[in-house]
Amino acid sequence: MGRIFGVPIHVAPSWFLVAALITWVFGAQLDRILPELGALRYLVSLFFAVAFYASVLVHELAHTVVALRYKLPVRRIQLQFFGGVSEIEKESETPGREFMLAFVGPLLSLVLTALFYAGMYVVEPGTVPGVLMAGLMISNLIVAIFNLLPGLPLDGGRMLRAVVWKLTGKPMAGTVAAAWVGRALAVAVLIGLPLLTQSGALGGTAPRSVGMETVTDALLAAILAAIIWTGAGNSLRMARLRAHLPQLQARTLTRRAVPVSSDTPLSEALRRANAAGARALVVVDTEGDATAVVREAAIVGVPEHRRPWVAVSGLAQDLTAGMRVSADLAGEDLIDTLRATPATEYLVVEPTGEIYGVLSTADVERAFVKAMARSN
């Protein structure tokens, strides 16, 4: 939908479903409050749905601004069925920053609640603006309170994670605690929300009999509980994965390489590599500086009987700045570097500039899959 602070804003297809649902539900309420609107009530309801998600966008922008302030890259903001999410690509460096990053979202929702509450005194009650102000005030208050619940993946869960991290000095301990509280919260929502709505404790005038509304309440509670449970599990899994990521080291994953000139026949280059126990080829100039990396897939595609007649230069990929990676890279830094310049092979160099070898994306992917398996 555009960019704010350089961060792309995306709207998931599920948003249109929830917008239609909000329009239908709020339209039914408007029919009771302002029956004179007639069919126009659905246009007002659609405006409310858009305004509500604009408030959600402000909530997510608060996270984004603080993340950028802490120099944490934000991939995008996505508005979806149950609210929005700011896809922050790195973890906070300290528990204090983690707490602040999580807290600003609910804080902005509370600020919006206060603004819409004040707006109710500016407009005339019982009018379209008055109903909209009241609806946006209540909805932002619900967003703030819900997000302050102390369980992942909610903002309150990240705040709990920060507190446990601060007390124990271990970010993983904070994640485990907040994730399990999130799972307990999911169970509480699944069981408790239908009971509360059935009893009328959430605004009903009297206990309701079992009917279509009860089934709808139970279905929404199940969906909400599933989202919280899944989010908590994903947070725990990602934390375990990050714990294994430091094992992804460029130095240990790099293949030994043999330098060859650009006019060297492929058969001769492979003979030298086999003799040296190497698994990669690097094209160098007359001064010994690397200029290209011979692609493994290209080598496999050349029949053996043609290899004496094919020069390695025709199978090589010229090196760009992003294809030279340090042998000291590891973990998320290594992943981020490779993602910034997609390629099949990279030249790995020592801090002094000497050639260390060739890093294959396939080797990194296999190591990453093993790390993911250990995190489950």
Side-chain angles (χ1 to χ4, degrees):
M1 299 297 292
R3 290 175 178 266
I4 302 179
F5 306 120
V7 177
I9 311 298
H10 289 253
V11 177
S14 60
W15 178 85
F16 296 95
L17 176 62
V18 74
L21 180 62
I22 292 174
T23 301
W24 176 60
V25 173
F26 195 67
Q29 295 178 352
L30 282 176
D31 192 34
R32 292 193 295 268
I33 301 171
L34 299 170
E36 66 274 12
L37 286 177
L40 285 176
R41 67 181 182 273
Y42 292 111
L43 183 61
V44 176
S45 299
L46 179 59
F47 177 83
F48 170 78
V50 174
F52 169 62
Y53 267 83
S55 300
V56 173
L57 178 59
V58 171
H59 176 110
E60 296 303 327
L61 282 173
H63 293 306
T64 296
V65 169
V66 174
L68 296 176
R69 174 72 173 80
Y70 292 152
K71 301 188 185 306
L72 300 176
V74 181
R75 182 179 303 170
R76 65 176 178 173
I77 295 174
Q78 185 177 55
L79 300 179
Q80 51 194 7
F81 190 87
F82 275 106
V85 59
S86 302
E87 297 182 7
I88 302 172
E89 296 185 342
K90 288 189 176 182
E91 291 289 321
S92 300
E93 296 178 353
T94 66
R97 290 187 172 187
E98 174 75 0
F99 187 93
M100 183 57 65
L101 183 59
F103 178 62
V104 290
L107 177 62
L108 256 293
S109 293
L110 289 174
V111 170
L112 290 175
T113 300
L115 290 176
F116 288 121
Y117 181 76
M120 292 172 59
Y121 289 93
V122 177
V123 300
E124 184 179 348
T127 62
V128 170
V131 173
L132 288 175
M133 287 291 178
L136 290 170
M137 183 271 292
I138 293 172
S139 59
N140 276 280
L141 181 61
I142 292 173
V143 168
I145 294 175
F146 179 71
N147 275 280
L148 285 172
L149 294 176
L152 287 172
L154 304 175
D155 294 331
R158 296 186 64 182
M159 293 162 63
L160 174 62
R161 174 181 182 268
V163 171
V164 176
W165 178 4
K166 179 68 174 179
L167 294 175
T168 63
K170 300 176 180 179
M172 187 63 184
T175 302
V176 171
W180 279 106
V181 172
R183 286 175 169 174
L185 181 62
V187 174
V189 167
L190 179 64
I191 299 174
L193 188 58
L195 293 178
L196 289 173
T197 53
Q198 179 71 15
S199 66
L202 294 181
T205 56
R208 301 193 311 224
S209 58
V210 176
M212 190 61 188
E213 288 185 340
T214 303
V215 174
T216 302
D217 292 339
L219 179 60
L220 289 175
I223 294 174
L224 188 57
I227 290 174
I228 296 174
W229 181 279
T230 302
N234 287 340
S235 298
L236 188 59
R237 191 156 41 249
M238 287 303 299
R240 289 172 176 165
L241 176 59
R242 283 192 171 95
H244 291 291
L245 276 183
Q247 299 175 15
L248 297 181
Q249 300 177 357
R251 194 174 293 277
T252 58
L253 294 173
T254 296
R255 300 178 179 183
R256 185 178 178 184
V258 168
V260 294
S261 60
S262 60
D263 59 352
T264 304
L266 178 58
S267 58
E268 173 60 17
L270 291 177
R271 186 194 67 77
R272 296 181 192 177
N274 291 332
R279 298 174 55 207
L281 300 171
V282 176
V283 178
V284 297
D285 58 20
T286 56
E287 297 180 357
D289 295 327
T291 60
V293 174
V294 180
R295 294 175 293 118
E296 182 181 24
I299 295 175
V300 174
V302 178
E304 191 168 350
H305 69 275
R306 284 188 47 81
R307 292 178 178 179
W309 317 105
V310 176
V312 293
S313 58
L315 310 174
Q317 182 175 1
D318 292 338
L319 291 171
T320 62
M323 290 176 62
R324 297 176 184 266
V325 301
S326 171
D328 293 334
L329 285 177
E332 289 189 66
D333 291 338
L334 174 60
I335 299 297
D336 292 341
T337 300
L338 301 188
R339 185 165 54 190
T341 308
T344 55
E345 284 94 5
Y346 299 84
L347 180 71
V348 181
V349 296
E350 294 283 10
T352 57
E354 298 175 356
I355 297 175
Y356 183 77
V358 172
L359 179 64
S360 170
T361 303
D363 292 342
V364 178
E365 288 176 350
R366 280 191 288 268
F368 187 79
V369 169
K370 290 180 180 179
M372 288 187 66
R374 288 192 294 268
S375 68
N376 291 328

